[in-house]
Amino acid sequence: MDCVVTGGNVKVLAKAIHSLSRIGDELYLEPQEDGLALRSVNSSRSAYACFLFSPLFFSRYTIPLGHAFRCKMAIKCVQAVFRSLSSLEKTVEKCHIELDGEKSRLTFTLHCKYGLLKTHNLSFQDSESLQAVFDKESCANMLHAQPRLLVDTVLHFPPSLEEVSVSVSGERVWFRNHVDDEAEQSKAMLTELCLSSDEFDHFAVGAQTSITFCLKELRGLLVFAESTGLPVSMYFDEPGSPVVLSVTDSVLEVNFVLATLSDDSNLCNHNNNTKRARSPPPDDFMTDDIDSYLIAMETSELAGPSDALAPRSPSSNHTLTTQPSVAMRRLERGEEEEEEEDTEDTERPPNKKFRSLFFGSVCPSDSQLTNQTIKSQEVLASDSEDDTQASLP
């Protein structure tokens, strides 16, 4: 693969890589006939992002015919190539990207002013194709808005907020912060914004619903959309189905697929009550205490706080214009404050209530819940036997 990016498109490419860094730790690169695909997925497989740059985005785009190639690398290494976004557009004239499959090396050469060259040689690994399965056109609800509207809406939420809920009706959209624990709702500060359908470029609601998803990935997409001035489309259905955030241009297609919070707490409670009714009680004098302890333990597990969701050589060259704004800079500063928290979030397990229909559920299955209950009963039963033996003379 051999391609060259010139002019303002260098900053667009850099913004895309920085947006992907908010999704996962690895960058998947796949040269295709219809363009260069850059993808990433988080560790829990509940957030996926893809940037597809068409051949018209490059001043030169050449790939070997009849040879499919895919690779992955640490996204922080690629992010270091485009470290300073503010000075990138002023100093870099073009970026030459060359991929050598035999040496397993991806080379970025930045041609700066006054003949200065900056070369970065990055190693990579071969990988399988990374592709999420989704059909955004079949979603019942579709919102199309300018990025400034969504950026101004998100700025009202604190940078530490992890999840946001979006509710739609026939003529309005509500954005509110999500509080998982009902006991903390009386103590937490609740923020809600209501937008009229007239504020959107396109407003199509086929089913009134409310979905909850992570705000971190949405902020990353909005920074990119605001810098390029491209509108954002949101496709979604009922809770538990993925929400698709899309940005489309003649030389670029962006899709963010995020898992939503599944509203199945009533179903889990019903299944747990059925399991408790069918399980035979222990035949000793600790029966009442064991049953009450099991009920209290399972209730605490269900009501416990959830962890943060921590898993395209044409002759013409089209250039995307950049439109910086005060709101975008405020949003970028909020993201810089979250960078230290992002390193800690990657160490935490994924949120057990988020489900991704395109990569499979990250919730524990019914068999896992049953095994946890059986293990708890065995431990408690063994403890009761030890206490009985200790009381005998």
Side-chain angles (χ1 to χ4, degrees), residues 19 44 63 90 93 116 147 180 191 203 206 214 225 240 249 253 263 292-293 336 354 356 359 393:
S19 297
S44 61
I63 60 173
K90 299 178 182 179
E93 297 178 349
L116 180 63
D180 184 65
T191 303
F203 188 89
C214 286
D249 188 72
E253 182 180 356
D263 189 14
S292 60
Y293 184 80
E336 293 176 356
F354 277 89
S356 172
F359 281 121

Side-chain angles (χ1 to χ4, degrees), residues 211-229:
I211 59 174
T212 301
F213 54 93
C214 286
L215 187 58
K216 171 185 171 182
E217 290 81 4
L218 175 60
R219 284 191 171 120
L221 177 64
L222 291 181
V223 170
F224 176 83
E226 178 72 8
S227 63
T228 57

Side-chain angles (χ1 to χ4, degrees), residues 50-116:
C50 175
F51 284 78
L52 182 61
F53 298 94
S54 71
L56 295 176
F57 179 82
F58 307 91
S59 61
R60 182 172 75 245
Y61 182 77
T62 305
I63 60 173
L65 299 177
H67 176 68
F69 181 82
R70 309 176 188 92
C71 65
K72 67 178 180 178
M73 65 199 71
I75 198 168
K76 288 185 178 181
C77 298
V78 186
Q79 193 176 3
V81 178
F82 308 97
R83 185 182 304 275
S84 179
L85 295 177
S86 58
S87 62
L88 194 64
E89 189 176 9
K90 299 178 182 179
T91 59
V92 179
E93 297 178 349
K94 67 177 180 179
C95 176
H96 181 207
I97 306 174
E98 185 178 5
L99 192 147
D100 190 349
E102 296 181 356
K103 297 182 180 180
S104 298
R105 178 179 298 176
L106 180 66
T107 303
F108 289 87
T109 304
L110 301 180
H111 296 257
C112 304
K113 293 182 178 180
Y114 311 110
L116 180 63

Side-chain angles (χ1 to χ4, degrees), residues 225-278:
E226 178 72 8
S227 63
T228 57
L230 298 176
V232 179
S233 300
M234 180 184 296
Y235 304 84
F236 58 96
D237 278 320
E238 69 276 358
S241 299
V243 55
V244 181
L245 305 172
S246 179
V247 174
T248 306
D249 188 72
S250 59
V251 296
L252 174 67
E253 182 180 356
V254 184
N255 288 308
F256 277 49
V257 188
L258 311 178
T260 60
L261 195 63
S262 179
D263 189 14
D264 59 351
S265 58
N266 294 331
L267 179 61
C268 292
N269 291 333
H270 175 72
N271 293 337
N272 291 333
N273 292 333
T274 304
K275 293 169 186 175
R276 287 197 300 267
R278 293 179 179 178

